[in-house]
Amino acid sequence: PFEMGDEAWADGIFPPSPSVIYGALRTLFFAHNDNFGLSKTDLDELTKNFKIKGVFIEIDGEPCLPIPKDIVSNKETKKLHFLDLKDNSSVNSCGTEKMLLSSELSEEVKGLINTTEYPKFLAKGEIQDINPFKDFIKSEYKIGIARNKSTLTTEEGKLYRVEMQRFDNQKYKKIQIIVVFEGLELPERYISKIGGEGKMFSYELDNLETPENGFIEPPNEIENNIFRVCLTTPALFEKGWLPCWVGKNMEGTVPNTNLKLKLITASVGKPISLGGFDVKEKKPKEMNKYVPAGAVYYFKILEGTFEEAVKCFHFQSISELNTAKEGFGITYIGK
């Protein structure tokens, strides 16, 4: 949240919100086809089938995804390990029957796992290779102040600081954002702008067939009918951190299926605030709190099969309030 008079310090977010990428690709489509003279309704009709199915950060040819939040690092040895699933026997406000705890003095890990290592996480295998954000993201701070247009003097109370982030290529040679999408015809190469700051980006199209598993194999089996769902992009839910179909006693049936599940625990982290700008209304969009990428939900199957769960949660979007098509809430399933 960043508004004059309320907040003078704005932090950056990496990677960019899926809605920023969605808007940039729509703009690229309209510019390439010279559609800007059409009405907003006509523009929406042209891109009604456009959907982002996956967002990856590619580092030196290796596509990567955010590290899940049930993996932590030992503060002394820096070795990575999974949080332990324990009974929720203490008195607290958490309504789940289990909790995720660490038997060691641990801290959160911020970084990326390449898609070669990611199936090991899904199968709860040993995780070794990660790419910490600090190794390839460099923060730069921009300080500014508003000026009176008549006197050209500075105006009181309008000093601000914004955190800018860019790729640092000292350790890695090439860093890119890979977007898997459908329903939009784009040129093979183009240069356009992205985000409110209008930064330039170069774009190359690669017509690859996307496998149903989203380039990552799910586990073949699970134990005790318990599986994990990991968010790789932020998600917006009507009920805050809970999907709308999770009801009383943390149980519910996944929409349009016979799969009945019970949420037994989760590691979601702090919410992130995302807004944007409404071009049609010419004003900022409402700010909403999203569950961050890397959040992990543990479910137990009450009715149905693991194969049905894979169809519902592996390389699928679970974000609500009409945000799924923008690439929010893309998940993978693990044991």
Side-chain angles (χ1 to χ4, degrees):
F2 188 53
E3 188 173 345
M4 186 173 59
D6 292 336
E7 184 60 63
W9 188 323
D11 293 322
I13 295 176
F14 180 84
S17 160
S19 58
V20 173
I21 298 172
Y22 188 85
L25 294 183
R26 283 186 85 222
T27 300
L28 193 157
F29 170 78
F30 297 145
H32 180 68
N33 293 284
D34 196 21
N35 292 135
F36 286 116
L38 300 178
S39 67
K40 177 67 166 59
T41 302
D42 291 335
L43 293 176
D44 288 342
E45 181 66 22
L46 287 173
T47 57
K48 65 179 180 180
N49 296 321
F50 174 35
K51 180 182 180 181
I52 290 180
K53 300 184 67 177
V55 179
F56 303 84
I57 308 300
E58 186 183 81
I59 301 177
D60 286 350
E62 285 280 357
C64 301
L65 292 169
I67 189 167
K69 293 188 179 298
D70 61 348
I71 296 177
V72 293
S73 170
N74 183 291
K75 274 196 170 183
E76 295 181 356
T77 65
K78 303 303 178 183
K79 186 177 180 180
L80 301 177
H81 63 276
F82 286 91
L83 294 172
D84 298 321
L85 194 61
K86 301 288 187 181
D87 290 335
N88 184 6
S89 56
S90 61
V91 178
N92 55 62
S93 60
C94 182
T96 59
E97 68 176 46
K98 302 284 186 179
M99 296 183 71
L100 290 168
L101 302 171
S102 177
S103 57
E104 309 170 19
L105 189 60
S106 306
E107 60 186 356
E108 183 182 6
V109 184
K110 294 183 178 181
L112 302 172
I113 300 178
N114 65 50
T115 50
T116 304
E117 292 284 314
Y118 206 80
K120 297 179 183 179
F121 151 72
L122 295 179
K124 276 210 166 179
E126 186 176 357
I127 301 293
Q128 294 180 340
D129 298 327
I130 69 164
N131 299 296
F133 280 150
K134 62 181 178 61
D135 285 356
F136 61 91
I137 294 297
K138 183 177 182 181
S139 292
E140 298 174 340
Y141 299 98
K142 171 185 172 182
I143 297 175
I145 193 168
R147 293 200 305 173
N148 187 296
K149 292 183 180 180
S150 300
T151 64
L152 299 183
T153 57
T154 58
E155 295 191 11
E156 186 177 349
K158 295 184 180 179
L159 180 70
Y160 64 90
R161 190 183 100 152
V162 179
E163 179 190 17
M164 301 292 186
Q165 296 177 329
R166 66 181 174 95
F167 293 143
D168 187 347
N169 295 91
Q170 292 185 359
K171 184 174 181 179
Y172 302 104
K173 294 179 181 179
K174 192 173 184 180
I175 304 170
Q176 302 180 107
I177 296 176
I178 298 178
V179 184
V180 180
F181 65 90
E182 63 183 13
L184 198 68
E185 293 187 6
L186 294 176
E188 290 189 2
R189 288 180 178 84
Y190 216 78
I191 295 177
S192 187
K193 294 182 179 181
I194 186 169
E197 290 283 331
K199 302 297 183 184
M200 302 297 295
F201 76 96
S202 61
Y203 163 96
E204 291 183 10
L205 183 67
D206 197 347
N207 287 307
L208 291 176
E209 186 175 344
T210 306
E212 291 184 4
N213 62 18
F215 308 103
I216 296 174
E217 286 290 339
N220 293 323
E221 56 185 8
I222 55 176
E223 298 175 2
N224 302 319
N225 275 342
I226 295 174
F227 66 90
R228 293 150 57 236
V229 171
C230 179
L231 285 170
T232 59
T233 56
L236 180 64
F237 298 126
E238 290 185 34
K239 296 162 65 174
W241 66 280
L242 280 176
C244 65
W245 52 269
V246 177
K248 190 177 181 181
N249 299 323
M250 294 292 171
E251 297 180 6
T253 301
V254 181
N256 304 316
T257 74
N258 295 318
L259 186 65
K260 186 176 181 180
L261 306 174
K262 181 173 184 177
L263 177 65
I264 59 173
T265 194
S267 178
V268 297
K270 295 180 180 179
I272 57 174
S273 298
L274 298 176
F277 191 83
D278 192 317
V279 177
K280 181 180 179 181
E281 301 296 334
K282 297 182 180 181
K283 65 179 183 180
K285 294 180 182 178
E286 181 182 357
M287 187 76 68
N288 288 301
K289 290 189 179 296
Y290 287 69
V291 177
V296 181
Y297 293 82
Y298 284 62
F299 289 103
K300 185 173 184 178
I301 298 175
L302 301 180
E303 296 176 14
T305 64
F306 179 58
E307 289 73 21
E308 290 176 293
V310 170
K311 291 181 180 179
C312 291
F313 296 107
H314 198 77
F315 197 46
Q316 299 294 326
S317 173
I318 62 172
S319 194
E320 299 167 0
L321 300 171
N322 201 33
T323 57
K325 66 179 182 179
E326 296 181 3
F328 286 105
I330 298 167
T331 59
Y332 287 89
I333 197 169
K335 63 186 293 185

